[in-house]
Amino acid sequence: MFDYLVVGAGFAGCTLAERLAAALDKKVLLVDKRPHIGGNAYDHHDEHGVLVHKYGPHIFHTNSRDVYTYLSRFTDWYPYQHRVQAYVDGRLVPIPINLDTINALYGTSFTAFELAGFFKSVAQPRESIRTSEDVIVSQVGQELYEKFFRGYTRKQWGLDPSELDAAVTARVPVRTNRDDRYFTDAYQAMPLRGYTAMFARMVAHKNIKILLNTDYHEIENSVLYDEVIFTGPIDEYFDYRFGKLPYRSLQFTFETLNTAQVQPVAVINYPNDNLYTRVTEFKHLTGQEHAKTTRVYEYPQAEGDPYYPIPREENAALYRRYQALADATPGVHFVGRLGTYKYYNMDQVVAQALTLFARIAGMRRAECVGA
Ligand SMILES: Cc1cc2nc3c(=O)[nH]c(=O)nc-3n(C[C@H](O)[C@H](O)[C@H](O)COP(=O)(O)OP(=O)(O)OC[C@H]3O[C@@H](n4cnc5c(N)ncnc54)[C@H](O)[C@@H]3O)c2cc1C
């Protein structure tokens, strides 16, 4: 007899399993249909011994001290500041767009102050900022929008930026200084021995039993439990009663080269050339030393594993119908990227899981990360 059946062993599921077992002494059955824990953040050593992320590059960054403190109980960290370059007009330039990007692209020698004036001269202010196109064009104008954003977004989402919520590109800043870090969060680091090692420590508790290669449908009627934490797709849970929530998927192609390093930075974006969106060289992220190096190419596609909830108002409206159903279903808690159909980063999912845990435990959020 279990107190909780936790469906999905990603960030959401492992955080809740750990908290329920360790802080409330609950008996937990953690089930995942994949052959491993870690969800989309799963990493492993490939056949050449290079540490890779099976479901695409995962860079940890957060402004939440709670989340960082909580995860630090299960891992040491490798300090890492993420850098990305974009292949535009036949050359590699920093992205987010900064002073060096513009000077390299246009052969100018603007100062930061002059660049602010340049952006002002090319920006096309829009009355209301509704779509991803509005966000960018109103900041840097049509030409830079075409060079850096339009093609990338169309490949990534299969939609024009004018059809996507502002939230998608609102994540990408534009800078007038030379800061070429992709993120500016207070905490930026990678789990020292990888994500999977961190998850293994989270769920290594006598109260947690783990069942892999198992869809929860296979066991839901043969195992006794009080409540369910569901981190799979919410529409799947309700048998797609109102229709399918749309997701964007990816195909990953890995390549190992007989050289220690090939890229100047971890990620190269290809906004306009090639079918793939970006190429990631893992050793930049992990700090691993190895004679070989492995890269992954990402090809966006409509079909396949559900990776990205598509941020459009009509999809949010469909989700709200499922959410109302979830609210009216006692004993089942929905959480995580798929469970709440939110385009969340890892830290946001941990924060969401901790908040749910605090609610279940009747604790204040600040108390719930304790040992
Ligand atoms: C390509 C890519 C790159 C990303 N990069 C970053 C990044 O750099 N930084 C960042 O912070 N975030 C990144 N993210 C987001 C990050 O992956 C998520 O925020 C996080 O992994 C979500 O955790 P989760 O537990 O909600 O879901 P998941 O990790 O998806 O876990 C859900 C689990 O539920 C299981 N499951 C589903 N249905 C069932 C079922 N019926 N029965 C049993 N098990 C089931 C699945 O197999 C899965 O393991 C990226 C996402 C993608 C796709």
Side-chain angles (χ1 to χ4, degrees):
M1 169 79 188
F2 293 94
D3 297 305
Y4 284 89
L5 170 64
V6 177
V7 179
F11 265 101
C14 287
T15 301
L16 276 149
E18 188 282 330
R19 286 290 71 204
L20 290 165
L24 298 186
D25 198 27
K26 298 294 184 192
K27 304 270 183 293
V28 176
L29 176 62
L30 178 60
V31 43
D32 202 300
K33 61 183 179 186
R34 286 171 170 167
H36 55 73
I37 57 172
N40 284 342
Y42 170 72
D43 56 12
H44 68 112
H45 289 90
D46 67 13
E47 69 212 77
H48 307 278
V50 181
L51 183 59
V52 300
H53 300 177
K54 184 176 167 109
Y55 305 98
H58 278 70
I59 294 100
F60 185 79
H61 57 101
T62 188
N63 281 317
S64 165
R65 193 166 70 173
D66 270 5
V67 168
Y68 187 74
T69 305
Y70 172 67
L71 293 177
S72 298
R73 291 176 40 209
F74 311 104
T75 187
D76 294 325
W77 299 96
Y78 169 68
Y80 171 72
Q81 303 268 357
H82 192 44
R83 287 185 169 79
V84 180
Q85 294 186 351
Y87 185 72
V88 172
D89 293 351
R91 65 169 74 208
L92 290 176
V93 290
I95 178 101
I97 294 174
N98 70 11
L99 185 60
D100 291 326
T101 312
I102 298 298
N103 283 338
L105 213 57
Y106 292 120
T108 47
S109 47
F110 289 138
T111 62
F113 181 72
E114 289 164 345
L115 184 60
F118 169 79
F119 283 148
K120 218 168 164 197
S121 72
V122 293
Q124 297 169 13
R126 301 206 160 169
E127 243 166 52
S128 75
I129 306 290
R130 277 185 316 104
T131 70
S132 291
E133 179 184 302
D134 298 334
V135 174
I136 302 298
V137 173
S138 63
Q139 284 184 89
V140 297
Q142 195 69 25
E143 185 170 311
L144 290 169
Y145 162 71
E146 303 275 345
K147 282 188 196 297
F148 285 90
F149 296 99
R150 185 154 191 239
Y152 193 92
T153 307
R154 287 174 74 113
K155 265 194 277 186
Q156 172 78 354
W157 296 100
L159 291 166
D160 194 79
S162 59
E163 300 170 283
L164 279 167
D165 282 0
V168 178
T169 41
R171 290 170 159 228
V172 185
V174 173
R175 301 183 181 131
T176 53
N177 59 19
R178 304 188 64 195
D179 187 352
D180 65 347
R181 294 171 308 151
Y182 202 72
F183 306 113
T184 52
D185 299 50
Y187 304 95
Q188 303 187 42
M190 299 290 286
L192 187 63
R193 305 203 184 287
Y195 288 100
T196 306
M198 179 184 77
F199 288 118
R201 287 187 65 183
M202 291 173 80
V203 297
H205 192 283
K206 65 177 175 32
N207 288 0
I208 303 176
K209 298 280 174 285
I210 302 172
L211 207 49
L212 299 176
N213 289 310
T214 308
D215 193 299
Y216 89 102
H217 286 300
E218 295 171 52
I219 52 119
E220 61 179 332
N221 296 321
S222 52
V223 175
L224 292 176
Y225 49 85
D226 278 343
E227 301 210 359
V228 177
I229 307 281
F230 193 81
T231 78
I234 187 169
D235 54 344
E236 182 201 300
Y237 183 88
F238 291 111
D239 296 324
Y240 308 105
R241 193 176 306 180
F242 304 130
K244 258 182 154 242
L245 283 165
Y247 282 94
R248 193 70 175 154
S249 193
L250 290 168
Q251 185 219 308
F252 301 107
T253 303
F254 291 82
E255 159 191 82
T256 300
L257 301 163
N258 266 323
T259 179
Q261 189 179 309
V262 277
Q263 295 188 178
V265 291
V267 174
I268 309 283
N269 282 0
Y270 290 86
N272 308 307
D273 307 84
N274 307 310
L275 289 174
Y276 42 84
T277 44
R278 59 178 183 172
V279 184
T280 300
E281 185 175 17
F282 290 103
K283 282 165 60 189
H284 289 276
L285 309 180
T286 60
Q288 185 183 9
E289 292 194 5
H290 197 292
K292 296 185 180 187
T293 192
T294 301
R295 301 199 284 182
V296 65
Y297 294 70
E298 290 176 50
Y299 295 85
Q301 55 188 30
E303 300 304 321
D305 278 0
Y307 290 133
Y308 298 113
I310 301 178
R312 301 188 74 186
E313 180 40 42
E314 66 208 59
N315 302 344
L318 180 56
Y319 165 67
R320 284 194 291 274
R321 296 184 68 193
Y322 281 110
Q323 191 184 20
L325 210 51
D327 290 344
T329 307
V332 189
H333 308 272
F334 294 85
V335 61
R337 216 182 219 213
L338 306 169
T340 56
Y341 197 66
K342 294 280 182 314
Y343 183 34
Y344 273 167
N345 281 329
M346 299 179 281
D347 64 318
Q348 295 170 299
V349 167
V350 174
Q352 189 193 39
L354 291 174
T355 300
L356 171 59
F357 171 73
R359 202 164 71 228
I360 290 172
M363 290 177 179
R364 282 186 296 119
R365 172 71 158 67
E367 297 165 347
C368 77
V369 293

